[in-house]
């Protein structure tokens, strides 16, 4: 059974940093591209960032480019999202998702339960 | 950026009735469209991909149609477990999602 378990969400002040983790199991992690998708209050889903199988290629939405960094450790089956210079508008539930296809054309066939990031003073 | 628009925002349907959800894209995407179901407090689940192919675990009452810029998700006879929020997502280019349609009990 495919499982994606996110952690690391918290309440943080504007300008602060946070690191999210997503631990994967039930599939060959090193054979799968991964992504982070967020759901802000009252809004629709927004793709945030993606990473290739090896981790050599990374991709970002314009809204987070230069502030967020995605990475992965295939030996641990884990993908990370380092979030710096956080803004109030980054407040959202962040989901880890397995990405099917080749960036930029793909979809998300498995999702985690999400972790809440709240940015507020 | 490709804009994805869903309608209606909320759909009130009685159990056993048909639900029809719409999704429109700002540019033609051929059949590069997926639908997701999200129940409160749960992870989203892939329902339909390539506009009309049902994902594993979803029964035949779920069907997708359309191509180009207009797409539809139809649930032929709503069951209690189908009440949820449904999102569509285009993957002709960098992925973008619609705002969601909440299917609620009438």
């Amino acid at each position: 059974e495919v499982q994606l378990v996110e952690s690391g969400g918290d309440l943080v002040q504007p300008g602060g940093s946070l690191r999210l983790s997503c631990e994967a199991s039930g599939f060959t992690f090193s054979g799968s591209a991964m992504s982070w998708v967020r759901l802000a209050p009252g809004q629709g889903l927004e793709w945030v960032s993606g990473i290739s199988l090896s981790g050599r290629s990374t991709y970002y939405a314009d809204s987070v480019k230069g502030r967020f960094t995605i990475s992965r450790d295939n030996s641990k089956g884990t993908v990370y999202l380092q979030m710096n210079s956080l803004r109030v508008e980054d407040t959202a539930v962040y989901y880890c998702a397995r990405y099917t296809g080749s960036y930029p054309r793909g979809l998300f066939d498995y999702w985690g339960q999400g972790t809440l990031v709240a940015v507020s003073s | 950026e490709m804009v994805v628009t869903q309608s209606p925002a909320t759909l009130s349907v009685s159990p056993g009735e048909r639900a029809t959800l719409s999704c429109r894209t700002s540019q033609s995407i051929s059949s590069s469209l997926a639908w997701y179901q999200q129940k409160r407090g749960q992870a989203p689940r892939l329902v339909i991909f390539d506009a009309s192919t049902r994902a594993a675990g979803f029964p035949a009452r779920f069907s997708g149609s359309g191509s180009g810029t207009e797409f539809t998700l139809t649930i032929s006879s709503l069951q209690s477990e189908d009440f949820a929020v449904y999102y569509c997502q285009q993957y002709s280019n960098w992925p973008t999602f619609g705002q969601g349609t909440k299917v609620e009990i009438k």
Side-chain angles (χ1 to χ4, degrees):
Chain A
E1 180 193 4
V2 171
Q3 283 199 313
L4 298 169
V5 180
E6 302 95 336
S7 61
D10 205 347
L11 172 63
V12 61
Q13 292 189 336
S17 297
L18 215 50
R19 188 199 199 200
L20 306 184
S21 300
C22 169
E23 191 169 334
S25 60
F27 64 99
T28 304
F29 182 74
S30 59
S32 296
M34 301 295 294
S35 271
W36 289 92
V37 179
R38 67 185 180 185
L39 181 61
Q43 314 242 351
L45 292 164
E46 179 190 16
W47 173 78
V48 172
S49 181
I51 189 166
S52 63
L53 278 64
S54 65
R56 278 194 288 270
S57 297
T58 57
Y59 311 91
Y60 301 93
D62 287 343
S63 57
V64 307
K65 202 170 292 182
R67 300 188 298 123
F68 290 10
T69 302
I70 191 172
S71 61
R72 66 189 294 163
D73 185 336
N74 285 346
S75 67
K76 295 181 178 179
T78 302
V79 60
Y80 305 95
L81 187 67
Q82 178 66 42
M83 311 165 68
N84 297 332
S85 302
L86 280 162
R87 304 169 180 168
V88 171
E89 54 265 35
D90 294 320
T91 295
V93 176
Y94 284 74
Y95 298 96
C96 168
R98 192 174 80 168
Y99 187 84
T100 297
S102 298
Y103 289 106
R105 299 178 186 85
L107 53 91
F108 311 94
D109 61 351
Y110 290 97
W111 300 62
Q113 298 274 24
T115 187
L116 176 62
V117 173
V119 185
S120 174
S121 54
Chain B
E1 177 185 290
M2 179 93 62
V3 177
V4 180
T5 304
Q6 289 186 244
S7 61
T10 304
L11 188 60
S12 298
V13 185
S14 299
E17 289 187 343
R18 173 187 296 258
T20 302
L21 290 66
S22 296
C23 178
R24 176 179 296 178
T25 57
S26 59
Q27 301 170 41
S28 178
I29 61 168
S30 184
S31 297
S32 300
L33 190 99
W35 290 93
Y36 301 88
Q37 176 194 71
Q38 186 173 31
K39 298 180 183 178
R40 183 179 293 274
Q42 295 187 20
R45 290 179 64 197
L46 177 66
V47 182
I48 297 282
F49 60 95
D50 292 346
S52 61
T53 303
R54 214 166 34 249
F58 281 87
R61 64 179 180 270
F62 289 86
S63 63
S65 63
S67 66
T69 63
E70 302 276 347
F71 301 87
T72 300
L73 173 68
T74 302
I75 311 171
S76 60
S77 176
L78 272 163
Q79 305 299 302
S80 57
E81 62 268 28
D82 302 334
F83 292 96
V85 178
Y86 292 85
Y87 296 95
C88 60
Q89 176 233 329
Q90 66 78 23
Y91 48 98
S92 175
N93 206 326
W94 294 104
T96 50
F97 295 84
Q99 294 288 96
T101 291
K102 181 181 181 181
V103 178
E104 64 176 25
I105 300 174
K106 187 174 181 181

